Amino acid sequence: MSFQKILASLILSCLIPLANAHEFDVGALHIDHPWARALPPVAETGAAYLTIINRGEQADTLLAATTPVADKVEIHEHLHEQGLMKMQQVEEVSIAPGARLAFQPGEYHLMLFNLKQPLNAGSEFPLTLRFAEAGAVEVMVKVQAEEPADATDDPHSHH
């Protein structure tokens, strides 16, 4: 194999992860890799996941989310009580200064109710997040067949 082909292969292998990464900023908040799991076409509910990093000096609060692909979006968390796992809606979630809050399977997540279209792998959809301090930001949620490899790797995430 020629040097040029090897070099081109190396460059492409470095760019592939960047193609899957997508990030958004609003105020002091950084939103990293919004994603949803692909679902069968008959699914009526889904969930969106992402990570919010507060790079500011004051707390901010996620108040709500909306998307045109679902009738309603609710902030949910999983709780472990008396050996059982249950899911419950929370009205808002605060992100402390310098904190990283991961919305991931089995933790906080954004429930999508009454889906208006299938969540097919490879597609994406807009999701608007509304924060108390930073205001609103529209992010694009990538629909994936599998959970991202780095979704639960951060042992310092605050859930």
Side-chain angles (χ1 to χ4, degrees), residues 35-39 119-123 142-148:
W35 69 280
R37 184 170 283 124
L39 299 170
L119 298 183
N120 296 320
S123 67
K142 292 191 176 192
V143 181
Q144 302 175 190
E146 297 179 12
E147 182 174 339

Side-chain angles (χ1 to χ4, degrees), residues 22-27 29-34 50 62 64-69 110 124-131 134-142:
H22 58 292
E23 304 170 0
F24 305 86
D25 292 297
V26 60
L29 301 177
H30 179 76
I31 296 110
D32 191 33
H33 193 66
L50 48 86
L62 176 62
T66 57
T67 181
V69 304
L110 298 168
E124 60 184 28
F125 62 88
L127 177 74
T128 301
L129 304 169
R130 190 167 52 87
F131 296 93
V137 62
E138 182 177 279
V139 301
M140 292 305 292
V141 178
K142 292 191 176 192

Side-chain angles (χ1 to χ4, degrees), residues 26-138:
V26 60
L29 301 177
H30 179 76
I31 296 110
D32 191 33
H33 193 66
W35 69 280
R37 184 170 283 124
L39 299 170
V42 296
E44 294 182 10
T45 60
Y49 309 100
L50 48 86
T51 299
I52 304 169
I53 302 164
N54 186 345
R55 295 178 173 165
E57 296 182 9
Q58 69 180 43
D60 206 339
T61 304
L62 176 62
L63 301 171
T66 57
T67 181
V69 304
D71 283 339
K72 179 170 65 167
V73 179
E74 293 180 357
I75 304 168
H76 280 216
E77 68 177 332
H78 276 102
L79 297 175
H80 302 276
E81 292 181 352
Q82 300 174 352
L84 299 174
M85 185 169 15
K86 74 176 196 175
M87 186 173 59
Q88 74 177 15
Q89 180 182 6
V90 294
E91 293 302 315
E92 57 190 36
V93 179
S94 183
I95 305 105
R100 174 187 185 100
L101 179 67
F103 283 64
Q104 60 191 24
E107 303 289 343
Y108 283 112
H109 55 281
L110 298 168
M111 283 297 300
L112 312 172
F113 291 97
N114 300 321
L115 290 171
K116 298 176 183 178
Q117 67 186 51
L119 298 183
N120 296 320
S123 67
E124 60 184 28
F125 62 88
L127 177 74
T128 301
L129 304 169
R130 190 167 52 87
F131 296 93
E133 300 298 324
V137 62
E138 182 177 279

